[in-house]
């Protein structure tokens, strides 16, 4: 977890600061390069599109969940903000896309972008509440509270949201006027994949920039970061809004792919599930959310056939076991495996950056 | 107006008893235990099962509703919670959410998902008039019982040797250990009592809050609100917060029913933004 932020916090002599800056930038550039394993991951995603045409509906859900978990990783893994109400932004995006489709235009991209923007605006407005003297606990409660408010709001504004019945009548025109949404979800999955990939690249660019480095400095020690002249509050609000944007887009994708949205996009269970997804995949290296989404979907599928009513029990059990074993110990397993396989010492921080 | 106030106070007192265990684990031991509601639910089910299947009188079930969750709490604290005290808050959240999900599912499996109903003894039903104001008997009963518990808790915490040891252990674990205080035992006992109080609150709350397997999730926010707004300095803050929330919630639901839980959540956010450490913060 300490990784590159060492460069920022190390007590270097003053005349060395240029060299340190250069080293930090070099390091960022090195981390910023796409690695073979990453190409493999996205190659596999593309292959799933071609090889598994029968599961496109399920795969779309997985991609959306992955994107949502990725947005959560940005604030938990990189900025250290623990949130219990990230579903608020997902739900905002989902409802915005739905309302845009019902009232404004059926063109999908505008709904997608508007969904993201509305969520980002909400993130930018509520972000400052999380920075002022906030503790982990008050952050948890404020994020949870905001999600509860939105849930209540969507429930009450029946004329706009359809209330408890959900928002129906969502129709989506072909993407770019070319690709029509089909019943088996092929267009939908392609759409989800492309959007996820683009946003992933954006998120990756952000976290491997000096901006991302300063976020990790804040996460590791906010006081010290402030003393170094990092504008802590502005940085936290910035990443919070960006994360909200991605969550909003994920929500908008869900509405457009399923052509429906209902109150459960704003429910507590969704915020809790996405935490589990992220933890399953591992926090703080962007792929955690995506890998976690795949694991979660497989698990959900298996557990639901095992005991449809009680799969939440197993989800809970998995969470408890993961925490008891220790997340960092689990995260070390792949690194150790790779080290064992290749016979060389894998750098401890490599799996995280 | 006054009946609503009394309703609100009864509700607030009940909330305090429910949340006092959380106030201790969260406030004093710094563990974010989202599963606290599960212990409360256990107490509720103990009372409901004993009354409905075994015909045990309501008052007799109450001590059992305290003891069973307390024992469960003690066992879980020693085996699962204690190793996690030093971990990050994210770990606390994940662990206790997981535990809550398990409790909800397991209860649905064992008891079914329907509401549990109990019939109160006759002397607790209906209303009586006091200075011309009609007061629900059960509300009055709740106020008396909970007030007694509050006083007892406060006395234990401030006047007994156990209380001073607990406060010492919380202030500085290492020094307390060095003084020969058995910190682990004290924490386990405190956790057990907290869980027991939650269970007692759950049992007392059955006629007022209802009881079904989703109870821990439904009321989780309320418990957390009480503690976060109240602050972690002691029990006075959470008590004050519980009363404010109880009255505000009952009044809100009476005068502005269309707002639902909007008011209370908004109140929480505003209070937390203004005072992140709660109403009564620890002097540092």
């Amino acid at each position: 977890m300490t990784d590159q932020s060492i460069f920022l916090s190390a007590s270097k002599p003053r005349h060395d600061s240029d060299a340190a800056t250069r080293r930090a930038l070099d390091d960022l550039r090195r981390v910023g390069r796409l690695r073979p394993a990453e190409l493999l991951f996205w190659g596999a995603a593309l292959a799933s599109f071609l090889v598994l045409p029968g599961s496109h509906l399920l795969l779309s859900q997985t991609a959306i969940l992955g994107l949502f978990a990725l947005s959560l990783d940005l604030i938990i893994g990189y900025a250290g903000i623990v949130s219990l109400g990230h579903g608020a932004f997902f739900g905002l995006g989902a409802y915005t896309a739905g309302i845009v489709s019902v009232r404004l235009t059926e063109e999908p991209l505008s709904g997608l972008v508007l969904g993201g923007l509305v969520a980002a605006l909400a993130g930018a407005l509520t972000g400052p509440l999380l920075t002022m003297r906030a503790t982990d606990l008050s952050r948890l409660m404020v994020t949870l509270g905001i999600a509860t408010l939105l849930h209540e709001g969507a429930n009450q504004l029946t004329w706009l949201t359809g209330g408890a019945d959900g928002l129906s009548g969502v129709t989506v025109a072909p993407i770019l006027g070319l690709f029509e949404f089909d019943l088996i979800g092929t267009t939908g999955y392609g759409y989800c994949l492309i959007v996820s990939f683009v946003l992933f690249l954006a998120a990756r660019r952000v976290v491997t920039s000096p901006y991302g480095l300063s976020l990790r400095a804040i996460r590791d020690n906010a006081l010290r970061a402030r003393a170094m002249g990092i504008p802590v509050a502005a940085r936290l609000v910035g990443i919070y809004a960006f994360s909200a944007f991605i969550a909003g887009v994920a929500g908008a994708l869900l509405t457009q792919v399923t052509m429906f949205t209902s109150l459960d996009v704003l429910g507590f269970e969704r915020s809790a599930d996405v935490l589990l997804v992220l933890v399953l995949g591992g926090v703080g290296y962007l792929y955690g959310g995506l890998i976690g989404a795949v694991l979660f979907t497989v698990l959900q599928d298996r557990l639901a056939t095992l005991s449809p009513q009680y799969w939440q029990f197993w989800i809970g059990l998995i969470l408890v076991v993961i925490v008891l074993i220790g997340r960092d110990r689990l995260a070390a397993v792949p690194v150790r495996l790779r080290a064992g396989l290749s016979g060389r010492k894998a750098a401890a921080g490599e799996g995280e950056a | 107006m006054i009946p609503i106030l009394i309703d609100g106070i009864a509700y607030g007192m009940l909330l305090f008893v429910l949340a006092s265990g959380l106030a201790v684990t969260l406030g004093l031991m710094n563990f974010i235990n989202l599963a606290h509601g599960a212990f409360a639910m256990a107490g509720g089910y103990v009372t409901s099962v004993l009354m409905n299947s075994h015909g045990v009188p309501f008052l007799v079930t109450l001590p059992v509703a305290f003891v069973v969750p307390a024992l469960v709490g003690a066992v879980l604290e020693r085996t699962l919670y204690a190793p996690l005290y030093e971990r990050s808050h994210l770990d606390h959240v994940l662990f206790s959410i997981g535990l809550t999900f398990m409790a909800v599912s397991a209860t649905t499996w064992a008891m079914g998902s329907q509401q549990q109903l109990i019939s109160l003894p006759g002397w607790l039903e209906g209303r009586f008039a006091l200075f011309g104001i009609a007061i629900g008997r059960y509300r009055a009963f709740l106020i008396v019982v909970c007030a007694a518990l509050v006083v007892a808790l406060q006395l234990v915490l401030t006047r007994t040797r156990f209380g001073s040891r607990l406060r010492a252990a919380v202030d500085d674990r290492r020094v307390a250990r060095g003084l020969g205080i058995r910190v682990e035992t004290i924490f386990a006992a405190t956790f057990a009592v907290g869980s027991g109080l939650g269970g007692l609150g759950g049992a007392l709350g059955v006629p007022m809050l209802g009881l079904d397997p989703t109870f821990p999730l439904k009321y989780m926010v309320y418990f957390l609100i009480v503690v976060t707004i109240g602050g972690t300095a002691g029990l006075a803050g959470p008590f004050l917060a519980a009363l404010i929330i109880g009255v505000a919630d009952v009044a809100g639901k009476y005068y502005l029913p269309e707002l639902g839980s909007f008011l209370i959540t908004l109140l929480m956010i505003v209070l937390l933004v203004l005072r992140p450490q709660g109403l009564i913060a620890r002097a540092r």
Side-chain angles (χ1 to χ4, degrees):
Chain A
M1 286 275 176
T2 50
D3 51 10
Q4 287 77 20
S5 43
I6 285 169
F7 287 112
L8 286 177
S9 53
S11 51
K12 286 261 161 208
R14 222 160 275 296
H15 59 269
D16 249 13
S17 68
D18 276 354
T21 312
R22 213 172 312 120
R23 253 172 58 202
L25 286 176
D26 279 348
D27 197 69
L28 279 178
R29 214 165 293 136
R30 187 175 57 75
V31 171
R33 254 179 258 135
L34 274 174
R35 271 194 294 271
E38 296 185 81
L39 294 178
L40 202 68
F41 179 87
W42 289 103
L46 184 64
S48 72
F49 179 75
L50 301 171
V51 179
L52 301 168
S55 332
H56 280 169
L57 284 175
L58 191 65
L59 286 168
S60 314
Q61 304 284 332
T62 313
I64 292 167
L65 189 59
L67 189 61
F68 182 29
L70 174 118
S71 76
L72 187 65
D73 197 11
L74 283 177
I75 58 164
I76 291 189
Y78 287 89
I81 300 175
V82 186
S83 167
L84 261 186
H86 213 51
F89 303 116
F90 186 84
L92 260 182
Y95 270 106
T96 306
I99 291 164
V100 164
S101 155
V102 172
R103 294 181 180 247
L104 280 178
T105 167
E106 296 183 354
E107 201 280 310
L109 291 182
S110 39
L112 192 73
V113 172
L114 276 174
L117 287 180
V118 169
L121 183 68
L125 290 177
T126 56
L129 304 181
L130 304 177
T131 58
M132 291 187 299
R133 298 175 298 159
T135 58
D136 274 352
L137 182 63
S138 72
R139 280 172 172 170
L140 277 180
M141 294 311 295
V142 170
T143 49
L144 184 61
I146 290 166
T148 315
L149 284 185
L150 280 175
H151 188 273
E152 256 326 289
N155 191 15
Q156 297 291 339
L157 299 175
T158 318
W159 58 273
L160 187 66
T161 62
D165 297 332
L167 183 69
S168 47
V170 179
T171 42
V172 186
I175 304 165
L176 302 173
L178 293 173
F179 304 100
E180 195 161 350
F181 282 89
D182 50 308
L183 276 179
I184 58 162
T186 301
T187 311
Y189 184 45
Y191 182 49
C192 291
L193 263 188
I194 292 170
V195 172
S196 302
F197 184 60
V198 169
L199 285 175
F200 167 80
L201 286 183
R204 197 179 186 288
R205 184 72 193 88
V206 167
V207 299
T208 54
S209 68
Y211 180 91
L213 202 53
S214 72
L215 284 178
R216 270 175 286 165
I218 294 171
R219 176 196 67 194
D220 290 342
N221 193 333
L223 268 181
R224 205 183 273 185
R226 188 173 325 206
M228 273 169 24
I230 297 175
V232 173
R235 293 283 153 99
L236 288 182
V237 173
I239 193 70
Y240 196 64
F242 181 56
S243 162
F245 176 81
I246 297 185
V249 170
L253 277 178
L254 183 69
T255 301
Q256 295 183 340
V257 169
T258 56
M259 305 214 178
F260 179 72
T261 195
S262 65
L263 280 179
D264 70 63
V265 293
L266 285 163
F268 172 74
E269 273 86 354
R270 188 170 294 266
S271 295
D273 278 352
V274 74
L275 260 178
L276 170 64
V277 167
L278 181 57
V279 169
L280 271 179
V283 181
Y285 69 108
L286 286 189
Y287 281 95
L290 305 175
I291 294 171
V294 176
L295 291 175
F296 184 81
T297 311
V298 172
L299 270 176
Q300 198 175 17
D301 194 49
R302 289 287 146 78
L303 296 178
T305 44
L306 198 71
S307 53
Q309 262 179 296
Y310 308 114
W311 72 276
Q312 219 179 23
F313 179 86
W314 303 109
I315 293 290
L317 186 65
I318 292 167
L319 269 175
V320 168
V321 169
I322 288 179
V323 175
L324 285 178
I325 294 177
R327 289 185 291 124
D328 35 349
R329 236 184 285 173
L330 284 176
V333 171
V335 176
R336 230 178 289 147
L337 270 182
R338 202 171 45 178
L341 282 177
S342 62
R344 68 184 162 88
K345 271 189 196 165
E350 209 174 323
E352 311 213 345
Chain B
M1 182 64 202
I2 290 180
I4 292 171
L5 198 64
I6 291 174
D7 247 25
I9 291 174
Y11 182 43
M13 292 244 184
L14 181 60
L15 270 184
F16 176 76
V17 172
L18 276 164
S20 57
L22 188 67
V24 174
T25 42
L26 187 61
L28 302 182
M29 285 138 84
N30 197 20
F31 190 97
I32 300 183
N33 183 17
L34 302 184
H36 184 70
F39 294 102
M41 176 173 71
Y45 273 97
V46 166
T47 288
S48 135
V49 168
L50 283 180
M51 285 182 74
N52 294 333
S53 311
H54 303 278
V56 181
F58 178 64
L59 283 186
V60 180
T61 67
L62 292 180
V64 190
F66 174 88
V67 170
V68 172
L71 288 178
V72 176
V75 171
L76 286 183
E77 199 274 344
R78 279 296 83 199
T79 52
L80 301 180
Y81 280 91
L84 300 178
Y85 283 150
E86 305 292 334
R87 296 275 199 85
S88 71
H89 284 148
L90 179 60
D91 276 341
H92 297 173
V93 169
L94 295 169
F95 169 77
S96 53
I97 286 184
L99 219 52
T100 311
F101 279 175
M102 288 169 73
V104 169
S105 284
T107 311
T108 314
W109 175 77
M111 311 295 302
S113 57
Q114 73 281 9
Q115 279 282 338
Q116 298 291 315
L117 300 172
I118 59 171
S119 43
L120 289 171
W123 58 275
L124 281 175
E125 279 177 33
R127 295 164 177 277
F128 66 96
L130 190 70
F131 305 117
I133 303 158
I135 299 172
R137 284 177 202 274
Y138 193 68
R139 303 287 187 271
F141 172 76
L142 274 184
I143 293 178
V144 171
V145 172
C146 295
L149 278 172
V150 170
V151 173
L153 270 181
Q154 189 63 22
L155 284 179
V156 167
L157 209 57
T158 54
R159 295 289 163 83
T160 64
R161 181 146 287 233
F162 178 83
S164 61
R165 281 184 178 147
L166 174 64
R167 281 178 289 130
V170 165
D171 278 346
D172 195 321
R173 261 171 242 185
R174 271 184 60 197
V175 173
R177 220 171 261 140
L179 288 171
I181 296 173
R182 288 160 67 183
V183 175
E184 281 74 23
T185 317
I186 289 197
F187 275 9
T190 311
F191 192 95
V193 172
S195 308
L197 283 172
L200 182 58
L204 287 170
V206 175
M208 209 170 168
L209 308 176
L211 182 68
D212 66 74
T214 61
F215 182 89
L217 287 173
K218 219 185 314 179
Y219 287 97
M220 181 183 81
V221 181
Y222 281 88
F223 307 151
L224 285 167
I225 291 177
V226 167
V227 180
T228 41
I229 290 185
T232 54
L235 290 175
F239 181 62
L240 190 65
L243 287 186
I244 293 175
I245 287 160
V247 173
D249 201 36
V250 170
K253 279 184 178 147
Y254 185 80
Y255 290 113
L256 303 161
E258 65 277 10
L259 280 182
S261 59
F262 220 86
L263 207 66
I264 210 80
T265 319
L266 204 62
L267 180 74
M268 168 189 79
I269 294 177
V270 171
L271 278 174
L272 274 183
V273 168
L274 295 179
R275 294 190 64 89
Q277 305 291 338
L279 288 177
I280 301 180
R282 196 178 308 194
R284 284 235 186 246

